[in-house]
Amino acid sequence: MGGAERAVPDAFGAVSTYLVSALVLTSLSPAGTVLQLAGLAAGALVTVAAVGSVLRRIPRFSTPADRVTLLRAVLVSLCAVLAVPQLVTGGRTGLLLPVLGAAAFLLDGVDGAVARRTGTSSAAGARFDAATDAALVLVLSVAAVPVAGPWTLGIGAMYYAFVAAGRIRPHLRRALPPRASRKAIGAFQPFALLAALLPGVPAVAAASVAALALALLTWSFARDVLQLERLHRAGLRDVGAPAP
């Protein structure tokens, strides 16, 4: 079955896996019905966004790497099912959420390796992978609120704020040269949040590692924004310069 023929079955498989797994998790949750439904809705939102990333492609296709990313997205969705009720009740997470989040985090390097090995790397797949990374960090930052405080939401919201800023200032969507520090800081975000969510971690230690993650992420985004703004201003000067 080709990539185009696999897109719909892959999407259906991701949705089915989420529904069955989420209903099982919800049946084990002590939260009330309203909070359970809120968690299911949050997880469904993540799943629908992931499936939409595959089905909206023109031409439509799905690769082996996309299937790994879809699995990651389902794991993130299940984290959301657990995190949202705990956000409202203020209860500390158990071990299951960090385990699911760690699985999604560890699979991050697998989809890229699969894409390179199968020769199916694409810009659409890279965007899908980045969006799944951002969703994982957002869900983990929500889960960390009862542990460290509401300011952890800034970690998860920063990527989306940057994307929104790109809608207003299109030059912020310009590609930057790859930086090892950017990748390292990006990978540190879910690692730090997962460490903060582990049962038994003191509140001070959890807040400290999350604060370090937020500080590094703020510095990284600020550096990139300033560089993009400088490139934009330099381009405007070049356009306005008289022809030789």
Side-chain angles (χ1 to χ4, degrees):
M1 187 179 293
E5 298 168 331
R6 286 292 320 179
V8 173
D10 287 348
F12 179 77
V15 172
S16 301
T17 303
Y18 166 71
L19 288 175
V20 173
S21 304
L23 289 175
V24 171
L25 285 183
T26 302
S27 68
L28 301 175
S29 172
T33 303
V34 174
L35 293 181
Q36 289 177 344
L37 291 174
L40 287 172
L45 185 62
V46 176
T47 302
V48 168
V51 167
S53 295
V54 174
L55 297 182
R56 285 195 305 268
R57 295 172 180 173
I58 301 175
R60 185 179 294 169
F61 68 92
S62 178
T63 69
D66 290 324
R67 289 191 276 281
V68 176
T69 310
L70 281 170
L71 174 59
R72 292 181 58 225
V74 170
L75 292 171
V76 174
S77 302
L78 297 178
C79 289
V81 172
L82 297 172
V84 169
Q86 292 169 344
L87 173 66
V88 178
T89 61
R92 192 181 179 96
T93 61
L95 185 60
L96 182 56
L97 195 155
V99 168
L100 292 172
F105 175 52
L106 293 175
L107 283 173
D108 185 21
V110 175
D111 45 12
V114 170
R116 291 187 294 271
R117 187 177 183 85
T118 57
T120 54
S121 299
S122 68
R127 289 193 297 270
F128 182 23
D129 180 52
T132 304
D133 292 341
L136 173 62
V137 174
L138 176 61
V139 170
L140 293 179
S141 69
V142 170
V145 168
V147 178
W151 56 268
T152 59
L153 293 173
I155 300 174
M158 199 167 300
Y159 168 84
Y160 298 96
F162 182 76
V163 171
R167 303 277 185 179
I168 302 171
R169 298 182 67 79
H171 60 272
L172 292 180
R173 300 199 296 266
R174 180 176 178 175
L176 284 169
R179 287 179 183 265
S181 60
R182 185 188 300 120
K183 291 183 178 181
I185 291 172
F188 182 68
Q189 305 306 307
F191 173 81
L193 291 169
L194 286 167
L197 291 172
L198 286 174
V201 174
V204 174
S208 298
V209 70
L212 176 61
L214 179 58
L216 290 172
L217 188 63
T218 302
W219 173 79
S220 180
F221 270 108
R223 180 187 60 182
D224 287 348
V225 168
L226 290 174
Q227 183 177 359
L228 288 168
E229 290 290 350
R230 285 196 298 268
L231 291 172
H232 177 61
R233 288 195 295 269
L236 290 179
R237 287 195 297 269
D238 291 343
V239 170

